[in-house]
Amino acid sequence: MDTASGGPRPSLLFVSDLGYEARGRRYCDEDIFLTSRLREEFDVALCHPRDAAALLDGFDAVVMRNSGPVLHYQEAYDAFRARVRQLGLPVYNALDGRGDMAGKQYLVDLSRAGFPVIPTADRAADLGLLPRADEYVVKPKLGADSVGLRFTRDAVLPDGGDGTLLVQPRIDFRYEVSFYFIDQDFQYALYAPHPERRWVLEPYLPDPADLAFARRFVEWNSLAHGIQRVDACRTAEGELLLVELEDLNPYLSLDRVPEDTREAFVARMKVSLRRLTA
């Protein structure tokens, strides 16, 4: 579309919950900033995730951003997915993600396959394969934003091992680090030097080994298009282990990156969306 010569501009339905309160993050600020910049090249309408399915007609693509945990509006989200497939409407991120978009089963699968992830089990028969630890983390496969997370002294599955919960050893780590990608292209990295302050992030300069680690999971995911965040922890021994592969609506912490990095990210996102709506 030749927008420079006055032709029609691609239209985007930008899905966000501006009222969602996340610990340590301002979702609304990030999406207000992104929509203001996307409007430079696109016609943008913003809606709540509960309203998205009813508002899809007439748009060239949907951008799913900081819409909060899907479990808070699962029925509306299922209706949204069904409707965009019926319309053949592109969604950003693509709906074929294998990471958190599909629940946390991938942590079990990757752990069994020998990937560098925090060891994870979802069956009573596999609990003995987990490394010994002073404490374990139990969380639901369909959880998000720490909803339903709890700590236990022993590696047990309170659900009896019916596959709805995960168990992981509580890792003693030096810091957490996140790698951000658009369409499988690395953009920037941030880390939390103080483990007790997860969202107080600072720029992080990854070395080749760090990038190879993050790219391994992005390539495994094979997401057709969109934004991914690879969250990892650096163990006391210096190893990186995957914590989460966020491929539905990853918070970007754009307020924590230098201005030139933020501008480069916005420019790359525009390129990605132009390709999607061409």
Side-chain angles (χ1 to χ4, degrees), residues 70-144:
V70 166
L71 59 89
H72 294 328
Y73 53 92
Q74 187 68 54
E75 185 175 342
Y77 180 66
D78 292 342
F80 162 78
R81 289 176 65 100
R83 182 63 175 149
V84 294
R85 285 181 170 138
Q86 181 184 24
L87 295 173
L89 191 62
V91 182
Y92 196 90
N93 291 350
L95 296 179
D96 57 355
R98 301 165 66 191
D100 264 31
M101 185 184 298
K104 298 187 185 297
Q105 176 63 38
Y106 71 95
L107 292 172
V108 178
D109 298 339
L110 291 173
S111 183
R112 290 174 181 163
F115 279 71
V117 306
I118 295 178
T120 308
D122 68 341
R123 299 183 304 196
D126 293 338
L127 294 177
L129 302 177
L130 296 177
R132 296 291 299 274
D134 294 333
E135 202 168 24
Y136 295 84
V137 180
V138 179
K139 53 189 174 184
K141 281 185 183 178
L142 297 180

Side-chain angles (χ1 to χ4, degrees), residues 1 29 37 56 67 75 81 90 130 136 147 151 160 171 179 206 260:
M1 296 183 183
D29 289 350
R37 298 303 306 276
L56 295 172
S67 52
E75 185 175 342
R81 289 176 65 100
L130 296 177
Y136 295 84
V147 174
F151 299 101
I171 298 295
F179 306 87
D260 58 342

Side-chain angles (χ1 to χ4, degrees), residues 163-200:
T164 61
L165 297 176
L166 305 176
V167 179
Q168 299 174 319
R170 191 170 186 179
I171 298 295
D172 180 20
F173 61 87
R174 288 156 48 188
Y175 57 80
E176 291 186 76
V177 57
S178 295
F179 306 87
Y180 302 78
F181 290 77
I182 294 179
D183 297 350
Q184 302 194 13
D185 293 334
F186 173 71
Q187 301 301 303
Y188 58 89
L190 295 167
Y191 83 121
H194 306 289
E196 71 281 3
R197 301 166 68 190
R198 169 66 181 97
W199 296 104
V200 181

Side-chain angles (χ1 to χ4, degrees), residues 1-67:
M1 296 183 183
D2 186 8
T3 57
S5 61
R9 287 155 47 107
S11 59
L12 305 175
L13 182 63
F14 193 103
V15 181
S16 175
D17 181 359
L18 297 181
Y20 181 72
E21 296 184 4
R23 185 174 56 188
R25 290 152 286 169
R26 290 272 299 179
Y27 277 13
C28 58
D29 289 350
E30 182 163 282
D31 283 351
I32 290 169
F33 166 74
L34 281 175
T35 53
S36 71
R37 298 303 306 276
L38 291 176
R39 283 191 180 98
E40 295 168 355
E41 297 188 25
F42 303 89
D43 293 332
V44 181
L46 192 148
C47 79
H48 189 278
R50 294 185 185 275
D51 304 323
L55 299 174
L56 295 172
D57 291 317
F59 289 93
D60 294 309
V62 182
V63 179
M64 178 74 74
R65 283 303 312 132
N66 291 318
S67 52

